[in-house]
Amino acid sequence: MSTPIINIFTYGLPYKLANQIYKEFQDRLKEVHFLIENSIRFKSLVDYKETVELLLALSIFHKRVVSNLDGALKFYGTVNKYSQADTISMGSYDLTVEEKNKILGLLINYRELIKKFGISEVDFDYNETKDFLSIVNQLKKTDDYAETKQNKNSKGREDKEDDLPF
């Protein structure tokens, strides 16, 4: 039995944040299954439930973790611009230039990875679960079109896997 993807995304996160992400995921996943089973608009996703689940977990992780890391970088940049401070103290935590650079490297790798799979950060900009499914439906249509086009163009050529950015 494999580990649920949401557990992989939340591993190592503080309990309060991990629990919030897990609960949101479970609530939205129930809604996803209901909409796919009962809505004509999303019937085309019935065979892709596992992929939808992965994208849902990724989108929630993006909203709750990645966007906050991005915000921390922007905050650091603004403070540094006006004060030339190397370290920003927030309670007992010190955000140093080294920490900032680690976060920046992580975000660069993350963005390269999602770009490699044709996912844009805009795809994670939704409020309602039905909006998320509409985005997934559009990604599927785009992928189906690209696959059809590639099959017509390649005729016997093997695809070469690009290197991951890390």
Side-chain angles (χ1 to χ4, degrees):
M1 186 171 156
S2 64
T3 304
I5 190 66
I6 197 65
N7 292 356
I8 294 169
F9 278 120
T10 58
Y11 180 78
L13 293 177
Y15 174 78
K16 189 175 178 181
L17 176 60
N19 195 39
Q20 177 187 8
I21 291 170
Y22 184 80
K23 284 182 178 180
E24 180 178 353
F25 175 77
Q26 291 302 321
D27 291 343
R28 287 195 186 267
L29 188 59
K30 286 178 191 172
E31 197 173 351
V32 160
H33 287 297
F34 177 82
L35 289 169
I36 288 174
E37 295 299 326
N38 297 299
S39 172
I40 294 170
R41 185 172 159 197
F42 303 120
K43 283 284 189 202
S44 66
L45 298 174
V46 76
D47 293 333
Y48 300 94
K49 285 183 181 178
E50 188 174 324
T51 302
V52 172
E53 183 177 329
L54 293 170
L55 289 170
L56 179 64
L58 180 61
S59 72
I60 294 169
F61 179 80
H62 179 89
K63 280 186 189 184
R64 304 289 177 219
V65 177
V66 174
S67 61
N68 287 317
L69 291 174
D70 199 35
L73 282 183
K74 290 175 183 173
F75 176 73
Y76 183 93
T78 301
V79 170
N80 183 267
K81 177 181 174 182
Y82 292 106
S83 71
Q84 288 76 38
D86 287 354
T87 302
I88 301 171
S89 295
M90 296 173 272
S92 62
Y93 178 73
D94 291 336
L95 179 59
T96 64
V97 69
E98 291 83 19
E99 287 283 323
K100 181 213 50 127
N101 289 338
K102 287 179 185 177
I103 293 170
L104 181 60
L106 179 121
L107 290 176
I108 289 169
N109 283 333
Y110 168 80
R111 287 184 172 117
E112 285 295 316
L113 185 60
I114 65 170
K115 181 181 174 185
K116 175 182 172 34
F117 290 99
I119 302 169
S120 167
E121 291 183 65
V122 175
D123 295 334
F124 300 136
D125 187 21
Y126 64 90
N127 290 320
E128 296 183 27
T129 306
K130 66 180 180 178
D131 298 332
F132 165 75
L133 287 175
S134 293
I135 291 166
V136 173
N137 231 351
Q138 189 59 44
L139 285 171
K140 181 186 171 301
K141 288 176 185 173
T142 303
D143 188 51
D144 289 347
Y145 173 77
E147 191 175 302
T148 302
K149 188 175 178 180
Q150 183 180 14
N151 287 342
K152 287 180 181 177
N153 291 339
S154 64
K155 293 187 182 173
R157 291 187 318 198
E158 286 187 31
D159 290 330
K160 182 181 174 193
E161 186 73 28
D162 292 340
D163 290 336
L164 292 175
F166 48 89

